[in-house]
Coordinates of all heavy atoms in Angstrom, one line a residue:
V20 N -18.7 25.4 11.3 CA -19.3 26.5 12.1 C -20.7 26.2 12.4 O -21.2 26.6 13.6 CB -19.1 27.9 11.5 CG1 -19.9 27.9 10.2 CG2 -19.4 28.9 12.5
N21 N -21.4 25.5 11.6 CA -22.9 25.2 11.9 C -23.1 24.2 12.9 O -24.2 24.0 13.6 CB -23.6 24.6 10.6 CG -23.7 25.7 9.5 OD1 -23.8 26.9 9.7 ND2 -23.6 25.3 8.2
D22 N -21.9 23.5 13.3 CA -22.1 22.5 14.3 C -21.7 23.1 15.7 O -21.8 22.4 16.8 CB -21.1 21.3 14.1 CG -21.4 20.6 12.8 OD1 -22.5 20.3 12.6 OD2 -20.5 20.3 11.9
L23 N -21.3 24.3 15.7 CA -20.8 25.1 17.0 C -22.0 25.9 17.4 O -22.3 26.9 16.8 CB -19.7 25.9 16.6 CG -19.1 26.8 17.8 CD1 -18.8 25.9 19.0 CD2 -17.9 27.6 17.3
S24 N -22.7 25.4 18.5 CA -23.7 26.2 19.1 C -23.3 27.4 19.7 O -22.1 27.6 20.1 CB -24.5 25.4 20.1 OG -23.7 25.2 21.3
D25 N -24.2 28.4 19.8 CA -23.8 29.8 20.4 C -23.4 29.5 21.9 O -22.5 30.1 22.5 CB -25.0 30.8 20.3 CG -25.2 31.2 18.9 OD1 -24.3 31.2 18.0 OD2 -26.3 31.8 18.6
R26 N -24.1 28.6 22.5 CA -23.7 28.3 23.9 C -22.4 27.7 24.1 O -21.6 28.3 25.0 CB -24.7 27.3 24.5 CG -24.6 26.9 26.0 CD -25.6 25.9 26.4 NE -25.6 25.6 27.8 CZ -24.8 24.6 28.2 NH1 -24.1 23.8 27.3 NH2 -24.5 24.2 29.5
T27 N -22.0 26.8 23.2 CA -20.6 26.1 23.4 C -19.6 27.2 23.0 O -18.6 27.3 23.6 CB -20.6 25.0 22.4 OG1 -21.6 24.0 22.9 CG2 -19.2 24.3 22.6
F28 N -19.9 28.0 21.9 CA -19.0 29.0 21.6 C -18.7 30.0 22.7 O -17.6 30.4 23.1 CB -19.5 29.8 20.3 CG -18.7 31.0 20.0 CD1 -17.6 31.0 19.5 CD2 -19.2 32.4 20.3 CE1 -16.8 32.2 19.1 CE2 -18.5 33.5 19.9 CZ -17.2 33.3 19.4
G29 N -19.8 30.4 23.4 CA -19.7 31.3 24.5 C -18.9 30.7 25.7 O -18.1 31.5 26.4
R30 N -19.1 29.3 25.9 CA -18.4 28.9 27.1 C -16.8 28.7 26.8 O -16.0 28.8 27.6 CB -19.0 27.4 27.3 CG -20.3 27.5 27.9 CD -20.8 26.1 28.4 NE -20.0 25.6 29.5 CZ -20.1 24.4 30.0 NH1 -20.9 23.5 29.3 NH2 -19.3 24.0 30.9
I31 N -16.6 28.4 25.5 CA -15.1 28.3 25.1 C -14.5 29.6 25.1 O -13.3 29.7 25.7 CB -15.0 27.7 23.6 CG1 -15.4 26.2 23.6 CG2 -13.5 27.8 23.1 CD1 -15.4 25.6 22.2
T32 N -15.1 30.7 24.6 CA -14.5 32.0 24.6 C -14.4 32.5 26.0 O -13.5 33.2 26.4 CB -15.3 33.0 23.8 OG1 -16.7 33.0 24.3 CG2 -15.3 32.7 22.3
A33 N -15.4 32.2 26.9 CA -15.4 32.7 28.4 C -14.2 32.0 29.0 O -13.4 32.6 29.8 CB -16.7 32.3 29.0
L34 N -13.9 30.7 28.7 CA -12.8 30.0 29.3 C -11.5 30.6 28.9 O -10.6 30.8 29.7 CB -12.9 28.6 28.9 CG -11.7 27.6 29.3 CD1 -11.6 27.6 30.9 CD2 -11.9 26.2 28.8
M35 N -11.4 30.9 27.6 CA -10.1 31.5 27.1 C -9.9 32.9 27.7 O -8.8 33.3 28.0 CB -10.2 31.6 25.6 CG -10.1 30.3 24.8 SD -8.5 29.5 25.1 CE -8.9 27.9 24.6
Y36 N -11.0 33.7 27.8 CA -10.8 35.0 28.5 C -10.4 35.0 29.8 O -9.6 35.7 30.3 CB -12.2 35.8 28.2 CG -12.1 37.1 28.9 CD1 -11.5 38.2 28.2 CD2 -12.7 37.5 30.1 CE1 -11.3 39.5 28.7 CE2 -12.6 38.7 30.6 CZ -12.0 39.8 29.9 OH -11.9 41.1 30.5
E37 N -11.1 34.1 30.7 CA -10.8 34.0 32.1 C -9.5 33.5 32.4 O -8.8 33.8 33.4 CB -11.9 33.1 32.8 CG -13.3 33.6 32.7 CD -14.4 32.8 33.0 OE1 -14.1 31.5 33.4 OE2 -15.6 33.0 33.0
T38 N -9.0 32.6 31.5 CA -7.7 31.9 31.8 C -6.5 32.5 31.2 O -5.5 32.7 31.9 CB -7.7 30.5 31.2 OG1 -8.9 29.8 31.7 CG2 -6.5 29.6 31.7
V39 N -6.5 33.1 29.9 CA -5.4 33.7 29.4 C -5.7 35.1 28.8 O -4.8 35.7 28.1 CB -4.8 32.8 28.2 CG1 -4.4 31.5 28.7 CG2 -5.9 32.5 27.0
G40 N -6.9 35.7 29.0 CA -7.2 37.0 28.6 C -7.5 37.1 27.1 O -7.6 38.3 26.6
L41 N -7.7 36.1 26.4 CA -7.9 36.1 25.0 C -9.3 36.5 24.8 O -10.3 35.7 25.2 CB -7.6 34.7 24.3 CG -8.0 34.5 22.8 CD1 -7.1 35.6 22.0 CD2 -7.6 33.2 22.4

Side-chain angles (χ1 to χ4, degrees):
V20 65
N21 294 328
D22 300 314
L23 176 60
S24 69
D25 290 342
R26 179 176 180 275
T27 300
F28 171 72
R30 293 187 66 190
I31 293 175
T32 55
L34 177 64
M35 290 295 164
Y36 180 77
E37 292 165 4
T38 309
V39 299
L41 178 59

